[in-house]
Amino acid sequence: MRDPMNLGFFTMPIHPLGKDWRQCLREDAEAFVLADELGFTEGYVGEHATDQAENITSCMLFIATLIDKTRRMKLGTGTVNLPNSHPAAVAANIAMLDHLLDGRLIFGISPGGLISDAEVFGNMEADRPAMFLECINTILKIWESEAPYDIRGKFWTVSTARTLLADIGQGILPKPLQRPHPPIVVTAVAPFSKGVTEAAARGWDPISANFLMPGWVKSHWPKYVEGCERGGRSADPAAWRVARSVFVADDAATARAYATDPNSPYRFYYSQMLTKMKRAGRLELFKTSRDMPDEAVTLDFVCDKLVTYGTPDKVADELMSFRDEVGPFGTMLYAGHDWADPALARRSMVLLAEQVVPRIQAGEQEPARAVA
């Protein structure tokens, strides 16, 4: 028997450049509301300041618009790109957001992967992994400390020693509702990610990106186990989230057309990602082996490997096979894509929740198949 699989949502939405920004934001929000209504357990949203296609500039601000629109699902920053913000600002805003959500917040963090963001914030030439580490360490130190603070690092200093008026509350940074802090997750976008090991050792959990080949997703589980062992805790498959691009339709022809036609939002998404990763020297993410020639990494190849589409039966079978291949992840995060056809996009989420997941859950009661 397999462990049960939960259903979540993750969007770093990539929209056509000419699409009205208001419509993009409205549809992105509607996807979260629908996910909540359908029983998705959690939902994450990414952020980029300098990308007209990935046009959510602040995941915290976007989540704030969903506070009263969602009721049950946990909402996650997916992710806060820490080098681009002062740690005191992130600590204060996350603390407030956690209270506004009554403890439904998951704190997703990363160094940020968009190089134009790094340039605009002035850290393109800096050691951004070191900035990331110092920033999260500072945030955690703020939450565990009492004012006045004396937190000094290479990149930031946090202190209210000169201005503290404790009797009236001045100079005191807020703490989250969840103690000692909201659950922390990190996105894993590299094969055999060392970051997964380091995160797991600190008690954090991974999200494996939807633009990784299955073989690279599979490489994250042993890295997670390694980190958990170092941190003195058990590696729980339920804590591993894996994102996947999925489209479900009532009939095979509709599913194929929406997922594979030249104007498909799925092809547009991976066209953008393939261009970005190629220019960033990270084409390996789309290869099935490290010795695969670059010229073999075509858009057709990428979409064929990374988009699961079809009727509920077909999608359920393919997702079960995918889970058997990569390992026993606990939550599949349905990746958000542009709503080129809102009715079909909504229907896909409904079919996933109401027909695909029950089929998978029924299949999980059967003896586990051999892992490929």
Side-chain angles (χ1 to χ4, degrees):
M1 294 178 62
R2 303 170 187 82
D3 294 324
M5 186 188 80
N6 291 320
L7 182 60
F9 185 70
F10 186 104
T11 191
M12 39 176 284
I14 295 182
H15 299 291
L17 297 185
K19 189 169 182 176
D20 189 303
W21 195 9
R22 295 167 297 177
Q23 182 180 354
C24 295
L25 295 171
R26 183 171 59 251
E27 291 175 353
D28 291 336
E30 288 174 1
F32 278 86
V33 174
L34 178 59
D36 184 60
E37 293 171 351
L38 291 170
F40 286 49
T41 58
E42 55 192 36
Y44 302 83
V45 59
E47 66 177 22
H48 288 305
T50 61
D51 195 317
Q52 288 186 313
E54 294 184 58
N55 53 20
I56 291 177
T57 61
S58 166
C59 53
M60 286 188 280
L61 182 59
F62 184 84
I63 287 172
T65 70
L66 300 172
I67 291 167
D68 294 325
K69 295 177 181 178
T70 58
R71 300 297 180 191
R72 296 173 295 177
M73 68 190 299
K74 296 181 179 180
L75 298 175
T77 58
T79 56
V80 178
N81 300 323
L82 293 181
N84 302 336
S85 299
H86 194 288
V90 177
N93 290 332
I94 287 292
M96 184 176 74
L97 192 55
D98 194 34
H99 280 264
L100 288 169
L101 281 165
D102 197 24
R104 285 194 290 132
L105 181 66
I106 299 173
F107 186 22
I109 58 176
S110 77
L114 187 65
I115 196 65
S116 56
D117 277 1
E119 181 181 11
V120 83
F121 287 112
N123 58 56
M124 187 168 70
E125 309 300 334
D127 186 345
R128 283 181 287 136
M131 293 182 75
F132 163 78
L133 188 60
E134 182 179 312
C135 191
I136 187 56
N137 286 341
T138 302
I139 291 167
L140 296 176
K141 186 68 174 177
I142 288 170
W143 287 338
E144 70 182 29
S145 301
E146 301 299 330
Y149 313 95
D150 185 20
I151 308 171
R152 302 180 183 276
K154 178 180 178 181
F155 305 101
W156 297 283
T157 296
V158 175
S159 174
T160 58
R162 297 170 58 192
T163 56
L164 178 68
L165 297 174
D167 56 327
I168 64 169
Q170 177 178 302
I172 301 172
L173 286 160
K175 299 182 188 298
L177 178 63
Q178 300 177 82
R179 299 296 179 91
H181 53 73
I184 295 177
V185 298
V186 297
T187 50
V189 298
F192 304 96
S193 172
K194 295 179 181 177
V196 168
T197 302
E198 298 303 318
R202 297 189 61 163
W204 310 340
D205 295 315
I207 295 174
S208 298
N210 60 298
F211 46 84
L212 281 171
M213 286 294 168
W216 304 143
V217 174
K218 182 178 181 178
S219 75
H220 291 166
W221 176 249
K223 290 297 184 181
Y224 179 64
V225 172
E226 178 185 340
C228 287
E229 290 175 348
R230 193 202 304 170
R233 63 182 180 124
S234 299
D236 184 1
W240 183 22
R241 289 97 164 163
V242 174
R244 189 72 176 164
S245 293
V246 177
F247 179 72
V248 196
D250 291 287
D251 64 272
T254 299
R256 175 177 291 277
Y258 195 77
T260 67
D261 278 359
N263 61 347
S264 162
Y266 290 79
R267 284 186 66 86
F268 177 68
Y269 177 95
Y270 282 106
S271 173
Q272 287 266 326
M273 293 302 300
L274 183 58
T275 300
K276 290 175 180 177
M277 294 304 173
K278 186 174 182 179
R279 293 185 180 180
R282 306 190 69 181
L283 198 60
E284 178 187 59
L285 303 184
F286 296 118
K287 296 182 177 182
T288 52
S289 65
R290 284 177 162 161
D291 59 358
M292 182 177 175
D294 289 356
E295 57 270 20
V297 184
T298 64
L299 180 58
D300 285 339
F301 173 82
V302 169
C303 290
D304 180 65
K305 294 292 185 181
L306 296 183
V307 180
T308 298
Y309 66 88
T311 61
D313 282 338
K314 178 176 181 288
V315 170
D317 286 344
E318 291 186 6
L319 289 179
M320 283 192 286
S321 295
F322 172 73
R323 194 162 177 241
D324 286 342
E325 177 182 358
V326 304
F329 60 86
T331 301
M332 190 203 79
L333 300 178
Y334 179 88
H337 295 277
D338 180 68
W339 280 13
D341 185 319
L344 289 178
R346 285 177 168 275
R347 183 62 176 162
S348 175
M349 294 177 66
V350 171
L351 290 171
L352 181 70
E354 296 183 352
Q355 296 191 32
V356 174
V357 170
R359 283 168 167 81
I360 293 174
Q361 290 172 340
E364 285 167 349
Q365 303 308 309
E366 302 169 0
R369 294 171 289 190
V371 176

